[in-house]
Amino acid sequence: MAPKDLFIAIIVIIAWGLNFVVIKVGLDGLPPMLLGALRFALVAFPALLFVKRPQLPLRWLIAYGATISLGQFAFLFEAMAHGMPPGLASLVLQAQAFFTLFFAALFLGEKLRAASLAGLIVAALGLALIGFDGSRPTPVIAVVLTLCAAAMWAMGNIITRRFGNINLVGLVVWGALIPPIPFFALSLWLEGPALIEQSLLHIGLHSILALFYLSFVATMLGYSLWSKLLSRYPAGKVAPFSLLVPVIGLASAALLLDERLGQLQWIGGALVMAGLAINVFGPNLWRRLQPVQA
């Protein structure tokens, strides 16, 4: 990868890794469903006036927006509002890679590779250690909600595979039209009009800056640069960079929010990262180790 593109990849990973700290900051001033509604409203408007709509049937655009945008972040924001630490959230959310494997096998008939199954077992053990560390316990509901967010992300991945070669920025912008109304409806139901009114009337600068970061840096800038990399290099060369997102997430949470993990959580986090690495790099390594047929 050219140095310029390597620099772009690093920018994206840092932007996405810091995303979890920013979500925590945003949740300090806005309830989770309202935060989601405002975030995707800012992503969609006014960008859709300048970004061409992807050539997709409406039902697929709705399916994408309902899973990757609405489902993923509704569960993630609720998880963090229920006590999921930002650094751990960035790590546990990477379980989407394994949910994607299972959904691909279930809905697309793809075979599960031995390396992927081995990585899943290692990562599952790591998640168990994270959830059962008694020294710094994480609420079970928060872990479950984060795994639900990962599952919704994975379902969105399966839906996206049906699209073929498509402008990722256009997909993100026009897909952002789907979540705001359901998010506002969920906010009215779960958070109530009084809290919505109070939050909007007394919104602080930190919440406004968090919204702009989530909408324009993590989403618009991040996906624009990521799609540029995918247009220049094979996915297999770009995708491994995403393994660095939880590293940035954990480091930024420790530095900026003083997030401290228990010993078992650190071990569990290392196992999750190892499992992800086995899933990404294992198949190629296994092929290289196979004897060459005469």
Side-chain angles (χ1 to χ4, degrees), residues 56 60 107-108 157-165:
L56 288 174
W60 288 116
F107 297 113
L108 303 180
N157 289 340
I158 299 303
I159 291 169
T160 306
R161 286 192 186 184
R162 294 180 174 270
F163 299 163
N165 187 17

Side-chain angles (χ1 to χ4, degrees), residues 204-251:
L205 179 61
H206 66 285
S207 297
I208 295 173
L209 292 176
L211 274 171
F212 272 84
Y213 185 95
L214 294 174
S215 303
F216 300 115
V217 178
T219 304
M220 296 296 295
L221 178 65
Y223 280 103
S224 296
L225 294 178
W226 194 252
S227 63
K228 181 179 292 188
L229 292 175
L230 289 173
S231 70
R232 295 177 178 176
Y233 300 95
K237 183 169 286 189
V238 178
F241 281 98
S242 65
L243 292 177
L244 296 174
V245 170
V247 176
I248 301 297
L250 286 164

Side-chain angles (χ1 to χ4, degrees), residues 115-275:
S116 298
L117 288 173
L120 172 62
I121 293 171
V122 173
L125 178 59
L127 289 172
L129 290 178
I130 289 171
F132 293 102
D133 187 344
S135 63
R136 292 181 179 271
T138 302
V140 174
I141 183 62
V143 176
V144 172
L145 287 170
T146 307
L147 289 173
C148 288
M152 294 301 292
W153 182 1
M155 185 58 70
N157 289 340
I158 299 303
I159 291 169
T160 306
R161 286 192 186 184
R162 294 180 174 270
F163 299 163
N165 187 17
I166 194 170
N167 186 307
L168 186 59
V169 177
L171 180 62
V172 169
V173 169
W174 283 86
L177 279 174
I178 309 305
I181 292 178
F183 262 124
F184 275 122
L186 286 169
S187 184
L188 283 171
W189 177 38
L190 298 173
E191 297 156 359
L195 180 57
I196 294 174
E197 180 181 4
Q198 180 184 2
S199 300
L200 292 177
L201 287 176
H202 299 91
I203 189 169
L205 179 61
H206 66 285
S207 297
I208 295 173
L209 292 176
L211 274 171
F212 272 84
Y213 185 95
L214 294 174
S215 303
F216 300 115
V217 178
T219 304
M220 296 296 295
L221 178 65
Y223 280 103
S224 296
L225 294 178
W226 194 252
S227 63
K228 181 179 292 188
L229 292 175
L230 289 173
S231 70
R232 295 177 178 176
Y233 300 95
K237 183 169 286 189
V238 178
F241 281 98
S242 65
L243 292 177
L244 296 174
V245 170
V247 176
I248 301 297
L250 286 164
S252 60
L255 289 173
L256 301 175
L257 300 178
D258 198 30
E259 180 180 320
R260 296 290 179 262
L261 304 182
Q263 184 176 6
L264 284 182
Q265 289 176 327
W266 277 115
I267 296 173
L271 288 174
V272 171
M273 290 298 298

